[in-house]
């Protein structure tokens, strides 16, 4: 499956909140380094590290480093988070209540008003993403989501990082949070649906796309993907309904009409295969019985001939008892007669089986199913051609519509030619030439579409088909078959 990254790396750093001047003030960075060095030293001092106020100052220092001087510490936001937690742990009054510093730290940890810790994590996460440290970026974005559970920014970027790390479950969770928090970017819903689709969770994929359409009702990509997933899940009829609605809503969109034609084309081919299967099934018992009866009759005819030969050779042998060749002939004919007798016994068993099979068939049910399949076949055929032609009315040079329509008529000709190939001599003498004329007509009908397809796009597949088609038409001309157009 093609990976989808919903925003470019550049857009990840385009937020005004995180934008900085080309060079961070050197004096500021130097100051951060000195303050960091002192704070790190005091953190190991038992007296200093016992005070909540120290940890609050340390938290704010590292928060500012993350926001303004990441070159001092690229993971400063994490240190700030741990320091804020330490404040909450230490600043407790004698009554067991939270002190002033603890309340301030708790407000920050909860993403409350004025909290910059969330921004610090997102900024450093973005920087790690830019440097291709995806694991580090995901860690930062995940922490940001814990601080502000109603945010969409960290959820979006966390999902992107997780997806690139092939952590699909994490990506899904993150994108689901984005959607639940009111995110509206259609590409997120599209990509989330793709993640579900890759697991064959088609219902969840459709649900996700519909959520996206609720946010962006006119989005063509989301609507088209609904159709694709319906097809992937085997819901062809529903996919056609969705695509027909798209074609009505946007009648000048050639691709929608071509796609609709292709769906009907596929349905036609599927229906054609089903008609063939049902026809064979309906006639299986009868045909097998008829074939067995013919073969039995042929073997019995052989036995009658062998009996005559046995009588003739036996009579000759009585007159010429020492004639070794007559003895050999008699043995040979007797052996062949035995083979035919055994063949009759076997064929009579096959005949009985075929007759029982024919009796066991639900003839009425098969006929009904065959009638329905033929009706669906014709409907699909008519609508495929109709929509290919509609597409060409919108864009007369559309390669897909031209090529596919050429293939459609070519395949129809091949199918009709099968009727001629299966005719016996009597049937061919009665109507073979007429059917051949219709076959030729269908082949000829395909020709202009391949020619126009090649004009629209110089593709080898169209050229090869046209070459084959011209060869077939030449064969008909050589046989003197007159093409009949329908």
């Amino acid at each position: 499956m093609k990976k989808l990254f919903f925003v470019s790396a550049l857009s990840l750093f385009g937020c005004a909140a995180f934008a900085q001047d080309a060079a961070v003030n050197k004096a500021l960075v130097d100051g951060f380094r000195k303050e960091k060095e002192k704070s790190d030293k005091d953190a190991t001092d038992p007296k200093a590290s016992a005070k909540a106020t120290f940890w609050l100052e340390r938290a704010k220092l590292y928060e500012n480093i993350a926001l303004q001087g990441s070159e001092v510490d690229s993971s400063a936001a994490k240190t700030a988070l741990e320091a804020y937690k330490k404040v909450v742990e230490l600043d407790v009054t004698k009554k067991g209540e939270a002190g002033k510093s603890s309340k301030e730290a708790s407000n920050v940890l909860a993403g409350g008003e004025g909290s910059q810790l969330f921004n610090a994590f997102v900024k450093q996460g973005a920087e790690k993403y830019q440097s291709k440290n995806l694991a580090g970026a995901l860690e930062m974005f995940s922490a940001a989501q814990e601080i502000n559970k109603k945010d969409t920014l960290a959820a979006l970027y966390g999902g992107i990082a997780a997806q690139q790390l092939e952590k699909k479950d994490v990506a899904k969770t993150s994108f689901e949070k984005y959607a639940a928090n009111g995110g509206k970017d259609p590409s997120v819903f599209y990509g989330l649906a793709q993640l579900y689709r890759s697991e064959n969770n088609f219902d969840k994929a459709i649900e996700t796309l519909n959520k996206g359409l609720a946010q962006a009702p006119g989005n063509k990509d989301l609507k088209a993907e609904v159709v694709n997933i319906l097809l992937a899940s085997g819901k062809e009829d529903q996919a056609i309904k969705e695509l027909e609605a798209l074609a009505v809503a946007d009648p000048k969109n050639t691709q929608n009409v071509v796609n609709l034609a292709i769906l009907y084309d596929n349905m036609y081919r599927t229906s054609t295969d089903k008609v063939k299967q049902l026809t064979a099934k309906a006639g299986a018992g009868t045909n097998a019985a008829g074939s067995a009866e013919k073969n039995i009759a042929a073997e019995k005819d052989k036995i009658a001939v062998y009996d005559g030969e046995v009588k003739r050779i036996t009579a000759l042998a009585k007159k010429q008892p020492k004639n070794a060749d007559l003895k050999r002939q008699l043995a040979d004919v007797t052996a062949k007669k035995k083979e035919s007798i055994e063949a009759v016994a076997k064929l009579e068993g096959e005949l009985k089986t075929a007759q029982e099979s024919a009796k066991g068939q639900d003839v009425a049910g098969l006929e009904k199913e065959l009638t329905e399949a033929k009706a669906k076949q014709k409907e699909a055929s008519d609508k495929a051609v109709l929509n290919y032609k509609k597409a060409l009315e919108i864009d007369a040079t559309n390669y897909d519509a031209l090529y596919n329509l050429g293939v459609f008529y070519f395949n129809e000709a091949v199918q009709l030619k099968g009727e001629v190939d299966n005719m016996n001599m009597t049937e061919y003498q009665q109507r073979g030439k007429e059917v051949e004329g219709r076959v030729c007509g269908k082949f000829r009908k395909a020709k202009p579409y391949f020619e126009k397809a090649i004009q629209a796009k110089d593709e080898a597949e169209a050229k090869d088909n046209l070459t084959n088609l011209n060869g077939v038409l030449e064969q008909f001309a050589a046989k003197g078959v007159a093409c009949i157009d329908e």
Side-chain angles (χ1 to χ4, degrees), residues 162-173:
Q163 189 182 29
Q164 293 185 56
L165 286 167
E166 298 291 339
K167 294 185 176 183
K168 292 184 179 180
D169 288 341
V170 177
K172 285 187 296 183
T173 299

Side-chain angles (χ1 to χ4, degrees), residues 219-238:
N219 189 275
K220 296 177 183 178
D221 291 334
L222 294 179
K223 289 179 178 179
E225 189 58 17
V226 168
V227 175
N228 291 335
I229 292 177
L230 286 172
L231 286 173
S233 60
K235 298 178 180 177
E236 190 176 66
D237 290 343
Q238 194 175 340

Side-chain angles (χ1 to χ4, degrees), residues 263-316:
L263 284 186
Y264 277 119
D265 201 340
N266 290 338
M267 183 183 286
Y268 166 68
R269 294 178 193 181
T270 302
S271 299
T272 299
D273 289 340
K274 188 170 184 179
V275 167
K276 289 179 181 177
Q277 292 168 5
L278 291 171
T279 300
K281 186 177 179 181
T286 304
N287 292 341
S291 177
E293 287 174 344
K294 288 179 182 179
N295 291 334
I296 289 171
E299 291 298 332
K300 286 183 176 180
D301 287 343
K302 288 181 185 179
I303 292 171
V305 172
Y306 295 146
D307 283 339
E309 281 294 287
V310 168
K311 288 179 182 180
R312 183 182 69 82
I313 296 170
T314 300
L316 290 173

Side-chain angles (χ1 to χ4, degrees), residues 446-457:
K447 184 174 180 177
Y449 293 103
F450 287 133
E451 290 173 337
K452 290 176 183 177
I454 293 168
Q455 291 172 9
K457 190 187 292 186

Side-chain angles (χ1 to χ4, degrees), residues 349-426:
E350 292 177 1
L351 174 60
K352 185 177 180 181
T353 301
Q355 288 171 335
E356 291 299 322
S357 176
K359 287 178 184 177
Q361 281 185 346
D362 178 6
V363 177
L366 275 174
E367 287 180 353
K368 182 184 177 184
E369 195 175 355
L370 182 56
T371 300
E372 290 173 352
K374 285 181 177 179
K376 189 170 184 178
Q377 179 190 34
K378 185 178 187 312
E379 179 188 14
S381 171
D382 292 344
K383 289 188 175 180
V385 173
L386 175 67
N387 282 285
Y388 281 135
K389 289 184 176 179
K390 273 186 182 179
L392 292 175
E393 287 174 6
I394 302 169
D395 177 9
T397 63
N398 185 277
Y399 174 82
D400 290 334
L402 289 166
Y403 176 78
N404 288 344
L405 198 49
V407 170
F408 183 91
Y409 288 131
F410 188 96
N411 288 342
E412 272 198 332
V414 171
Q415 187 178 339
L416 186 58
K417 186 177 182 298
E419 287 187 29
V420 180
D421 295 340
N422 291 326
M423 288 179 181
N424 56 37
M425 185 58 68
T426 302

Side-chain angles (χ1 to χ4, degrees), residues 457-473:
K457 190 187 292 186
D458 190 19
E459 292 285 348
E461 57 184 359
K463 287 181 176 179
D464 291 343
N465 279 358
L466 182 58
T467 299
N468 292 337
L469 177 57
N470 285 332
V472 170
L473 291 174

Side-chain angles (χ1 to χ4, degrees), residues 37-282:
E37 185 178 338
K38 182 178 183 304
S39 182
D40 290 347
K41 182 178 180 181
D42 289 345
T44 61
D45 181 272
K47 187 176 181 180
S49 63
K51 299 177 181 178
T53 51
F54 163 74
W55 290 103
L56 184 60
E57 289 175 0
R58 180 174 172 82
K60 290 179 179 179
L61 168 64
Y62 272 88
E63 186 177 82
N64 287 328
I65 290 173
L67 290 168
Q68 301 176 63
S70 276
E71 56 262 68
V72 175
D73 186 341
S74 64
S75 296
K78 289 172 62 179
T79 305
L81 174 64
E82 293 305 317
Y84 277 123
K85 288 180 179 179
K86 195 73 174 176
V87 174
V88 175
E89 177 188 326
L90 294 175
D91 189 26
V92 181
T93 67
K94 292 179 180 179
K95 294 181 178 181
E97 298 172 350
K100 183 179 178 181
S101 296
S102 179
K103 289 178 181 177
E104 183 179 346
S106 295
N107 177 64
V108 172
L109 293 173
E113 186 177 352
S115 171
Q116 289 295 308
L117 185 60
F118 168 81
N119 290 339
F121 271 109
V122 174
K123 176 179 177 292
Q124 291 205 305
E127 290 166 350
K128 290 181 184 297
Y129 182 93
Q130 189 178 42
S131 65
K132 301 190 184 329
N133 180 358
L134 295 177
L138 178 57
E139 182 184 16
M140 291 291 182
F141 293 136
S142 296
Q145 290 179 61
E146 289 303 312
I147 294 168
N148 187 349
K149 298 183 186 301
K150 295 296 182 182
D151 175 71
T152 56
L153 187 65
L156 171 61
Y157 294 157
I160 293 170
Q163 189 182 29
Q164 293 185 56
L165 286 167
E166 298 291 339
K167 294 185 176 183
K168 292 184 179 180
D169 288 341
V170 177
K172 285 187 296 183
T173 299
S174 198
F175 290 140
E176 287 286 10
K177 286 181 181 178
Y178 171 86
N181 290 341
K184 296 182 178 181
D185 188 338
S187 63
V188 177
F189 292 95
Y190 184 95
L192 181 55
Q194 289 291 302
L195 290 172
Y196 284 121
R197 180 179 178 178
S198 69
E199 301 169 344
N200 292 329
N201 190 346
F202 300 117
D203 290 341
K204 191 66 177 176
I206 294 290
E207 178 188 326
T208 300
L209 291 168
N210 286 333
K211 285 180 181 178
L213 286 168
Q215 299 290 352
N219 189 275
K220 296 177 183 178
D221 291 334
L222 294 179
K223 289 179 178 179
E225 189 58 17
V226 168
V227 175
N228 291 335
I229 292 177
L230 286 172
L231 286 173
S233 60
K235 298 178 180 177
E236 190 176 66
D237 290 343
Q238 194 175 340
I240 285 176
K241 288 180 182 178
E242 293 284 347
L243 201 47
E244 282 179 336
L246 286 178
V248 170
D250 189 5
K252 295 299 182 184
N253 187 316
T254 312
Q255 195 57 54
N256 283 342
V257 182
V258 170
N259 288 342
L260 185 57
I262 291 171
L263 284 186
Y264 277 119
D265 201 340
N266 290 338
M267 183 183 286
Y268 166 68
R269 294 178 193 181
T270 302
S271 299
T272 299
D273 289 340
K274 188 170 184 179
V275 167
K276 289 179 181 177
Q277 292 168 5
L278 291 171
T279 300
K281 186 177 179 181

